Amino acid sequence: MSTTPTTAQAGRPADAPRPATVLRGLLSPEGLDALDWTTWSEPGRAGVEAVRLYTTDGPSPATGLISRMGPGAHGDLHEHLGYEAMFVLQGELCDDSGARYTTGDLIVVEPGSVHQVSTETGCVVLGFRDAPTAPLS
């Protein structure tokens, strides 16, 4: 995802609303491979890459991201301090409760929920958090 301003963006006032960011082809491997993936390094997390779409400022920042988990990857054990919505774009995402979510599934996690996600085969997930999580491991 490019952050270099276009000619139209470079000439606008600093307080003007930013134009929309558009990521095309997210349901295809080619579209996903074209993203600027970075390794998501946190204790208890392995095999996960992410593309941060946005993070808000403030005491309880919201975040939008796309995460790609390789086969055998897992997240950390954490508690949700706010809502999270996850939409599986590809593959299968597993929850430590035994639930399995596949392509096209939308999962809404409530504040106070505790879980750890993983994947046996790999997956790509679009996620939005309205508050951060608290690691428990």
Side-chain angles (χ1 to χ4, degrees), residues 21-117:
T21 298
V22 177
L23 304 176
R24 299 195 184 275
L26 294 182
L27 298 180
S28 73
E30 299 80 17
L32 290 168
D33 286 342
L35 298 177
D36 187 18
W37 295 98
T38 58
T39 300
W40 189 349
S41 295
E42 286 182 359
R45 185 176 301 274
V48 183
E49 298 176 298
V51 174
R52 300 257 179 211
L53 302 174
Y54 66 85
T55 300
T56 63
D57 293 327
S60 185
T63 305
L65 58 90
I66 302 170
S67 59
R68 178 166 61 182
M69 302 173 72
H74 59 82
D76 62 335
L77 178 65
H78 58 271
E79 177 182 2
H80 284 267
L81 304 179
Y83 283 95
E84 178 179 48
M86 297 180 289
F87 185 73
V88 181
L89 298 174
Q90 289 183 355
E92 182 179 66
L93 179 70
C94 304
D95 190 282
D96 61 349
S97 68
R100 294 180 177 270
Y101 310 105
T102 60
T103 301
D105 288 350
L106 175 67
I107 308 102
V108 177
V109 181
E110 295 192 12
S113 298
V114 174
H115 73 145
Q116 182 175 22
V117 296

